[in-house]
Amino acid sequence: MATNTQEQQSQAGRHQEVGHKSLLQSDALYQYILETSVYPREPESMKELRELTAKHPWNLMTTSADEGQFLNMLLKLINAKNTMEIGVYTGYSLLATALALPDDGKILAMDINRENYELGLPVIQKAGVAHKIEFKEGPAMPVLDQLVEDEKNHGSYDFIFVDADKDNYINYHERLIKLVKVGGLIGYDNTLWNGSVVAPPDAPLRKYVRYYRDFVLELNKALAADTRIEICMLPVGDGITLCRRVK
């Protein structure tokens, strides 16, 4: 059993970076990634929004800087133009997406809290990409159901990013698989859920981690068995699973 001194040293050594969700065992290695690859190339607007979000009491909800960089490059690689984001918070991943899209690119962004989105909106506007974003406040499910009802929306999205209520991920998936194009991508965030997906049943977990863990496990199992997609689970941030629709 660790002594109090050992526990204090362990806590003192933990990475203090806001949005730090890396599953790397070494915080020094994560810091190396940030300082070598991420921060030197981070657009000034994303840096500004990251630092602004750091002052918000819910800052752990933000997308990590390395994941933002990953999403930005991924969108460029697939030449995405029409995208969707479910779960926006202050808009760090949204800004990463908007910066990657062409000038006539579009993002349908949904979140239950407009106040958080408007916290980051001035930064997005200053970056000159706000015109690409259509923000809808409220639950995403009714919007998705409405989109699915109109067949012209089927297969119309190049990329969809989901970082929202984990207990609805499977419900989202059954709708999003119709809206993303064949060859397009859906990205589900937090699919390793603080590493709790491999924790024993009696592990001491925070209440919200324990509550959502079963939903994340259920999603991961369902995605692995879904023949409509190819999947790749990456240990970036808190885990992101990319799903490429194949049929």
Side-chain angles (χ1 to χ4, degrees):
M1 181 178 294
T3 65
N4 290 337
T5 300
Q6 288 173 325
E7 290 176 353
Q8 289 170 359
Q9 289 173 342
S10 175
Q11 288 299 319
R14 292 301 301 165
H15 198 284
Q16 298 302 309
E17 188 65 41
V18 169
H20 171 49
K21 303 172 184 176
S22 175
L23 298 169
L24 293 172
Q25 292 186 358
S26 167
D27 286 337
L29 183 55
Y30 183 59
Q31 187 68 34
Y32 174 82
I33 293 171
L34 291 176
E35 293 181 356
T36 304
S37 174
V38 180
Y39 291 160
R41 307 299 293 269
E42 185 180 36
E44 189 61 34
S45 57
M46 290 184 65
K47 177 183 178 182
E48 182 180 354
L49 183 50
R50 175 168 55 82
E51 292 177 346
L52 183 152
T53 303
K55 301 173 184 176
H56 193 274
W58 302 343
N59 56 47
L60 283 177
M61 289 173 54
T62 192
T63 299
S64 61
D66 54 323
E67 186 174 6
Q69 183 186 58
F70 170 74
L71 291 173
N72 183 269
M73 180 173 284
L74 178 65
L75 287 156
K76 293 172 181 174
L77 287 171
I78 66 174
N79 295 313
K81 187 174 181 180
N82 191 35
T83 71
M84 182 190 302
E85 181 161 331
I86 302 175
V88 172
Y89 186 40
T90 61
Y92 187 79
S93 57
L94 183 63
L95 179 56
T97 299
L99 289 171
L101 299 185
D103 193 60
D104 59 346
K106 298 295 180 185
I107 312 167
L108 173 59
M110 292 172 273
D111 199 287
I112 60 172
N113 190 319
R114 178 181 290 274
E115 183 178 347
N116 289 337
Y117 167 66
E118 291 183 344
L119 182 66
L121 183 57
V123 179
I124 294 172
Q125 291 171 331
K126 187 165 65 172
V129 293
H131 66 282
K132 303 178 186 180
I133 300 168
E134 178 188 1
F135 180 82
K136 289 183 179 290
E137 182 181 23
M141 204 68 71
V143 178
L144 296 179
D145 285 338
Q146 188 175 16
L147 288 172
V148 169
E149 283 180 10
D150 190 342
E151 290 194 4
K152 74 178 183 181
N153 295 317
H154 290 198
S156 64
Y157 287 87
D158 304 310
F159 180 78
I160 301 170
F161 183 59
V162 185
D163 183 8
D165 42 335
K166 316 309 171 196
D167 44 348
N168 258 327
Y169 269 26
I170 285 186
N171 295 324
Y172 290 147
H173 184 67
E174 289 308 313
R175 291 154 176 81
L176 299 180
I177 198 68
K178 298 174 183 177
L179 297 173
V180 73
K181 71 180 184 181
V182 173
L185 294 175
I186 306 171
Y188 291 102
D189 202 21
N190 305 115
T191 52
L192 294 177
W193 198 231
N194 289 257
S196 68
V197 291
V198 294
D202 59 347
L205 301 173
R206 285 170 289 182
K207 285 185 178 180
Y208 83 94
V209 173
R210 181 175 298 281
Y211 175 76
Y212 287 113
R213 179 179 61 170
D214 288 344
F215 294 106
V216 173
L217 288 169
E218 183 183 9
L219 172 77
N220 292 341
K221 184 177 180 179
L223 295 180
D226 192 338
T227 60
R228 299 168 295 181
I229 57 175
E230 297 172 336
I231 66 170
C232 179
M233 180 183 286
L234 299 170
V236 177
D238 192 28
I240 179 172
T241 299
L242 297 179
C243 307
R244 178 177 178 267
R245 183 182 173 189
V246 295
K247 61 183 177 180

